[in-house]
Coordinates of all heavy atoms in Angstrom, one line a residue:
V1 N 40.1 74.4 -172.8 CA 39.2 73.5 -172.1 C 39.9 72.4 -171.5 O 40.7 71.7 -172.1 CB 38.0 73.0 -173.1 CG1 37.2 72.1 -172.3 CG2 37.3 74.2 -173.7
K2 N 39.7 72.3 -170.1 CA 40.4 71.1 -169.4 C 39.3 70.4 -168.7 O 38.3 70.9 -168.2 CB 41.4 71.7 -168.4 CG 42.6 72.5 -169.1 CD 43.6 72.8 -168.0 CE 44.3 71.6 -167.5 NZ 45.4 72.0 -166.6
G3 N 39.5 69.1 -168.5 CA 38.6 68.3 -167.7 C 37.7 67.4 -168.6 O 36.9 66.5 -168.0
L4 N 37.8 67.4 -169.9 CA 36.9 66.6 -170.7 C 37.3 65.1 -170.5 O 36.3 64.3 -170.5 CB 37.1 67.0 -172.2 CG 36.4 68.3 -172.7 CD1 36.7 68.6 -174.1 CD2 34.9 68.1 -172.5
T5 N 38.6 64.8 -170.5 CA 38.9 63.4 -170.3 C 38.4 62.9 -169.0 O 38.0 61.7 -168.9 CB 40.5 63.2 -170.4 OG1 40.9 63.7 -171.7 CG2 40.8 61.8 -170.3
T6 N 38.6 63.6 -168.0 CA 38.1 63.3 -166.6 C 36.6 63.0 -166.6 O 36.1 62.1 -166.0 CB 38.4 64.3 -165.6 OG1 39.8 64.5 -165.5 CG2 38.0 63.9 -164.1
A7 N 35.8 64.0 -167.2 CA 34.4 63.8 -167.3 C 34.0 62.6 -168.1 O 33.1 61.8 -167.7 CB 33.8 65.0 -168.1
A8 N 34.7 62.3 -169.2 CA 34.5 61.1 -170.0 C 34.8 59.8 -169.1 O 34.1 58.8 -169.2 CB 35.3 61.1 -171.3
G9 N 35.9 60.0 -168.3 CA 36.2 58.8 -167.5 C 35.1 58.5 -166.4 O 34.9 57.3 -166.1
L10 N 34.6 59.6 -165.8 CA 33.5 59.4 -164.9 C 32.3 58.7 -165.5 O 31.7 57.8 -164.9 CB 33.1 60.7 -164.3 CG 34.1 61.4 -163.3 CD1 33.6 62.8 -163.0 CD2 34.2 60.6 -162.0
W11 N 31.9 59.2 -166.7 CA 30.8 58.6 -167.4 C 31.1 57.1 -167.7 O 30.2 56.3 -167.5 CB 30.5 59.4 -168.7 CG 29.3 58.9 -169.5 CD1 28.0 59.3 -169.2 CD2 29.3 58.0 -170.5 NE1 27.2 58.7 -170.1 CE2 27.9 57.9 -170.9 CE3 30.2 57.1 -171.1 CZ2 27.5 57.0 -171.9 CZ3 29.8 56.2 -172.1 CH2 28.4 56.2 -172.5
T12 N 32.3 56.8 -168.1 CA 32.7 55.4 -168.5 C 32.7 54.6 -167.2 O 32.2 53.4 -167.2 CB 34.0 55.4 -169.1 OG1 34.0 56.2 -170.3 CG2 34.3 53.9 -169.6
S13 N 33.1 55.1 -166.1 CA 33.1 54.4 -164.8 C 31.7 54.0 -164.4 O 31.4 52.9 -163.9 CB 33.8 55.2 -163.7 OG 35.1 55.4 -163.9
A14 N 30.8 55.0 -164.6 CA 29.4 54.7 -164.3 C 28.8 53.6 -165.2 O 28.1 52.7 -164.7 CB 28.5 56.0 -164.5
V15 N 29.1 53.6 -166.5 CA 28.6 52.5 -167.4 C 29.3 51.2 -167.0 O 28.6 50.1 -167.0 CB 28.9 52.9 -168.8 CG1 28.5 51.8 -169.8 CG2 28.2 54.2 -169.2
I16 N 30.6 51.2 -166.6 CA 31.2 50.0 -166.2 C 30.5 49.4 -164.9 O 30.3 48.3 -164.8 CB 32.7 50.2 -165.9 CG1 33.4 50.4 -167.3 CG2 33.3 49.1 -165.1 CD1 34.9 50.8 -167.1
G17 N 30.2 50.3 -164.0 CA 29.4 49.9 -162.8 C 28.1 49.3 -163.2 O 27.7 48.3 -162.5
L18 N 27.4 49.8 -164.2 CA 26.1 49.2 -164.6 C 26.3 47.8 -165.2 O 25.5 46.9 -164.9 CB 25.5 50.1 -165.7 CG 25.0 51.5 -165.2 CD1 24.6 52.3 -166.4 CD2 23.9 51.4 -164.2
S19 N 27.4 47.7 -166.0 CA 27.6 46.4 -166.6 C 28.0 45.3 -165.5 O 27.6 44.2 -165.5 CB 28.7 46.4 -167.6 OG 30.0 46.7 -167.0
C20 N 28.7 45.8 -164.5 CA 29.1 44.9 -163.4 C 27.9 44.6 -162.6 O 27.7 43.4 -162.2 CB 30.1 45.6 -162.5 SG 30.8 44.6 -161.2
G21 N 27.0 45.5 -162.3 CA 25.8 45.2 -161.5 C 24.8 44.3 -162.3 O 24.2 43.5 -161.6
A22 N 24.9 44.3 -163.6 CA 24.1 43.5 -164.4 C 24.6 42.1 -164.5 O 23.9 41.2 -165.0 CB 23.9 44.1 -165.8
G23 N 25.8 41.9 -164.0 CA 26.4 40.6 -164.0 C 27.3 40.2 -165.2 O 27.8 39.1 -165.4
Y24 N 27.5 41.2 -166.0 CA 28.3 41.1 -167.2 C 29.8 41.2 -166.8 O 30.4 42.3 -167.1 CB 27.9 42.0 -168.3 CG 28.2 41.6 -169.7 CD1 27.8 42.3 -170.8 CD2 29.2 40.6 -169.9 CE1 28.1 41.9 -172.1 CE2 29.5 40.2 -171.3 CZ 29.0 40.9 -172.3 OH 29.4 40.5 -173.6
V25 N 30.3 40.3 -166.1 CA 31.7 40.4 -165.5 C 32.7 40.6 -166.6 O 33.7 41.3 -166.5 CB 32.0 39.2 -164.6 CG1 33.4 39.3 -164.1 CG2 31.0 39.1 -163.5
E26 N 32.6 39.8 -167.7 CA 33.6 39.8 -168.8 C 33.7 41.2 -169.3 O 34.8 41.7 -169.5 CB 33.2 38.8 -169.8 CG 33.3 37.3 -169.4 CD 32.0 36.9 -168.8 OE1 31.1 37.8 -168.5 OE2 31.8 35.7 -168.6
L27 N 32.6 41.8 -169.6 CA 32.6 43.1 -170.3 C 33.2 44.2 -169.3 O 33.9 45.1 -169.7 CB 31.2 43.6 -170.6 CG 31.0 45.0 -171.2 CD1 31.9 45.1 -172.5 CD2 29.6 45.3 -171.4
T28 N 32.9 44.0 -168.0 CA 33.3 44.9 -167.0 C 34.9 44.9 -167.0 O 35.5 46.0 -167.0 CB 32.9 44.5 -165.6 OG1 31.4 44.6 -165.6 CG2 33.4 45.5 -164.5
M29 N 35.5 43.8 -166.9 CA 36.9 43.7 -166.9 C 37.6 44.2 -168.1 O 38.6 44.9 -168.1 CB 37.4 42.2 -166.5 CG 37.0 41.9 -165.1 SD 37.7 40.3 -164.5 CE 36.8 39.1 -165.7
F30 N 37.0 43.8 -169.3 CA 37.5 44.1 -170.6 C 37.5 45.7 -170.8 O 38.4 46.3 -171.3 CB 36.8 43.4 -171.7 CG 37.3 43.6 -173.0 CD1 38.6 43.1 -173.4 CD2 36.7 44.4 -174.0 CE1 39.1 43.2 -174.7 CE2 37.2 44.7 -175.2 CZ 38.4 44.1 -175.6

C-alpha cells in the first residue's frame, strides 16, 4: 500500500486550513 502518508497529509492540510480560517494562528503555525 502506497499513498497513506500523502492522504494523511492532505487531511492534515485541510484541518490546518480550518484552524487558520478560524483565526487560531498560533495553532496553524505550530
Side-chain angles (χ1 to χ4, degrees):
V1 179
K2 299 186 67 175
L4 283 175
T5 302
T6 301
L10 287 172
W11 186 86
T12 305
S13 293
V15 177
I16 287 174
L18 291 175
S19 69
C20 187
Y24 201 169
V25 178
E26 296 87 347
L27 176 62
T28 300
M29 295 189 293
F30 185 72

